[in-house]
């Protein structure tokens, strides 16, 4: 009886550990997927805004709202999800909560980039392309940033985190330069106020998005460190 009781308790503990591991593995997959989607939507938003493609921006707005809704649903399920964790797994549960929180923030920032772009075209506001060259170059640099970030996550290149932070800071400096020049244009020409407000909204939220996504990556790396430990433990126990 004692043996059966011990086996039952051991099985129950393994199931709990497996459940928490699966939650974290699923969360890591969701992080990679959401960053991929955010990167694509962000890039296409700027591209279609410059090309004044209202229909495409409407679809992107719908897609960004859908993604935000999906991630917020995960956040709402956090209390139930944490019940799958043992007390010894509280640290990994904390990392899980952080990851989900930063995913929500990232998606909110994305929505606030797409929405003003859509609103500008939807309201048929005047459009000037005085900064189109620098903004298109910024969009290209943003794609390069996200490509680097996604590769870092896929290959688990945690030692390149400092480089990622440096790249983010360069992107933020670039945003600040574009915003400064936009203010100079407003003062000099006294026109293009509507599009200037739209540029400022989009770029300011892109800055927030870049900050959010690096916070997300840092939290996800902590989560991944736990997963690697669990995977190594499984290999040892199997041997």
């Amino acid at each position: 009886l004692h043996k059966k009781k011990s086996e039952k308790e051991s099985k129950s503990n393994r199931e709990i550990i497996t459940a928490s591991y699966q939650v974290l593995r699923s969360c890591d997959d969701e992080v990679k997927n959401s960053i991929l989607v955010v990167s694509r939507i962000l890039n296409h938003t700027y591209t279609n805004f410059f090309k004044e493609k209202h229909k495409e921006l409407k679809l992107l707005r719908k897609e960004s709202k859908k993604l935000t809704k999906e991630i917020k649903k995960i956040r709402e399920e956090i209390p139930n999800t944490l019940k799958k964790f043992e007390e010894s797994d509280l640290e990994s549960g904390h990392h899980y909560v952080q990851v989900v929180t930063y995913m929500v923030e990232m998606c909110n920032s994305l929505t606030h980039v797409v929405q003003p772009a859509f609103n500008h075209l939807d309201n048929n506001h005047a459009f000037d392309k005085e900064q189109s060259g620098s903004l298109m170059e910024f969009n290209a640099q943003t794609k390069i940033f996200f490509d680097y970030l996604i590769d870092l996550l896929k290959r688990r290149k945690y030692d390149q985190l400092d480089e990622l932070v440096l790249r983010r800071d360069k992107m933020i400096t670039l945003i600040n330069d574009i915003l400064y020049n936009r203010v100079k244009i407003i003062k000099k020409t006294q026109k293009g106020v509507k599009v200037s407000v739209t540029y400022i909204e989009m770029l300011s939220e892109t800055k927030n998005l870049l900050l959010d996504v690096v916070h997300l990556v840092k939290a996800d790396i902590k989560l991944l460190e736990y997963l690697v430990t669990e995977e190594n433990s499984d290999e040892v126990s199997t041997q």
Side-chain angles (χ1 to χ4, degrees), residues 23-190:
V23 166
L24 297 180
R25 172 56 61 196
S26 176
C27 182
D28 177 50
D29 291 340
E30 190 64 51
V31 167
K32 291 184 178 69
N33 179 65
S34 63
I35 289 176
L36 276 168
V37 174
V38 165
S39 172
R40 179 177 54 78
I41 292 176
L42 183 68
N43 180 266
H44 289 179
T45 295
Y46 276 99
T47 300
N48 287 301
F49 179 61
F50 299 137
K51 292 181 178 179
E52 299 183 68
K53 292 189 175 181
H54 178 264
K55 185 178 179 180
E56 283 77 359
L57 279 176
K58 187 175 183 179
L59 292 172
L60 289 167
R61 184 185 65 155
K62 184 178 179 181
E63 195 175 354
S64 66
K65 285 184 176 181
K66 181 184 176 185
L67 178 64
T68 302
K69 187 177 180 180
E70 288 171 355
I71 302 301
K72 284 183 176 179
K73 190 174 181 180
I74 295 173
R75 183 178 64 181
E76 290 168 5
E77 287 296 316
I78 283 177
N80 291 328
T81 302
L82 291 179
K83 289 177 183 177
K84 298 178 182 179
F85 290 74
E86 277 192 300
E87 282 194 26
S88 59
D89 281 337
L90 285 179
E91 186 176 352
S92 61
H94 169 68
H95 295 316
Y96 172 77
V97 172
Q98 278 196 316
V99 167
V100 174
T101 300
Y102 286 130
M103 275 199 291
V104 171
E105 292 300 319
M106 177 182 68
C107 292
N108 281 339
S109 294
L110 176 68
T111 299
H112 289 111
V113 174
V114 180
Q115 189 64 51
F118 170 79
N119 288 345
H120 189 86
L121 297 187
D122 193 49
N123 292 322
N124 295 313
H125 288 312
F127 199 92
D128 81 80
K129 296 185 178 180
E130 193 160 350
Q131 280 184 295
S132 61
S134 58
L135 285 164
M136 287 172 74
E137 175 60 24
F138 165 73
N139 194 32
Q141 291 299 319
T142 302
K143 186 179 185 305
I144 292 171
F145 171 84
F146 274 100
D147 287 345
Y148 181 86
L149 184 159
I150 291 162
D151 182 67
L152 182 152
L153 286 177
K154 283 183 177 178
R155 297 173 182 267
R156 297 186 178 185
K157 294 180 178 178
Y158 310 145
D159 58 328
Q160 294 183 1
L161 185 59
D162 288 342
E163 174 63 21
L164 180 70
V165 172
L166 285 173
R167 287 176 178 238
R168 179 207 61 191
D169 292 345
K170 286 181 180 178
M171 293 300 300
I172 289 175
T173 298
L174 184 55
I175 289 173
N176 289 335
D177 288 343
I178 295 171
L179 289 172
Y180 176 73
N181 287 329
R182 175 48 56 170
V183 172
K184 284 172 65 177
I185 289 169
I186 295 173
K187 289 191 72 174
K188 183 179 179 181
T189 64
Q190 297 295 319

